[in-house]
Amino acid sequence: MIIGPGVRVHEFSTVRKRSVLAAGVSVGFGCEVTHSFVGENAVLGHQVGIGHSIVGADAHLSANLVIAAISLWNYDMRVPVKEIVLHGPGDEPPYRCTTSQFGGLIGDQVQTGSMITLGPGLAVGRHSAIAASVCMGSAIVPAASVVRSSSPEVVIESRRI
């Protein structure tokens, strides 16, 4: 585990299993960071759980967010074997991660609302925003996008910067 200068980890939080917190990271109350990299000056709000993920610099992940790292379709969740695959928009071929544990890649300056479930197999481009209550996995979100929930489906659209 590597903890950079100026990092703040609030009470009841756990950082473990080869995680890296870059300089200036803030980990809120009741978080769990497992086998992940969190970029400079990123903020993890309260009760954020990330596993096997990369979070970019200056990202702000709000409260009650989870980035799952194991496919629900494994026969035994304790011993994952199903490969994580990212599915892009349109007719693009899927990107095979070649691993059974991969949560997500969250780009620089991504912002999220609260009560969000992401992954496994999610890539969110830099400068994107994810609105509250979104639940999605195995997708590639282009840079500068807004992701919002419009029951029963998730809508991805361009974001103005």
Side-chain angles (χ1 to χ4, degrees):
M1 180 168 49
I2 299 172
I3 306 292
V7 169
R8 295 177 310 177
V9 177
H10 289 79
E11 54 272 3
F12 306 111
S13 291
T14 303
V15 179
R16 62 190 183 99
K17 205 171 185 183
R18 293 177 266 165
S19 292
V20 175
L21 303 181
V25 167
S26 177
V27 178
F29 175 87
C31 294
E32 182 175 340
V33 179
T34 303
H35 204 212
S36 295
F37 174 88
V38 181
E40 287 186 3
N41 300 312
V43 174
L44 306 183
H46 302 309
Q47 297 178 335
V48 169
I50 62 173
H52 297 268
S53 297
I54 299 170
V55 176
D58 298 307
H60 188 117
L61 308 182
S62 290
N64 297 310
L65 178 137
V66 173
I67 302 177
I70 299 172
S71 173
L72 179 61
W73 308 117
N74 281 284
Y75 292 110
D76 184 348
M77 297 291 281
R78 295 170 296 179
V79 185
V81 294
K82 182 166 175 46
E83 179 184 19
I84 303 299
V85 177
L86 280 78
H87 298 278
D91 294 332
E92 292 181 25
Y95 176 80
R96 305 186 80 76
C97 293
T98 68
T99 181
S100 61
Q101 294 182 332
F102 176 71
L105 170 61
I106 308 298
D108 296 340
Q109 298 179 349
V110 167
Q111 298 173 328
T112 70
S114 61
M115 303 296 286
I116 295 174
T117 304
L118 303 173
L122 180 78
V124 180
R126 61 178 49 139
H127 304 293
S128 291
I130 303 175
S133 301
V134 166
C135 179
M136 67 184 294
S138 187
I140 299 172
V141 177
S145 294
V146 173
V147 180
R148 60 183 172 80
S149 181
S150 177
S151 290
E153 49 185 282
V154 172
V155 177
I156 302 173
E157 55 193 25
S158 294
R159 178 183 186 192
R160 288 186 251 165
I161 300 177

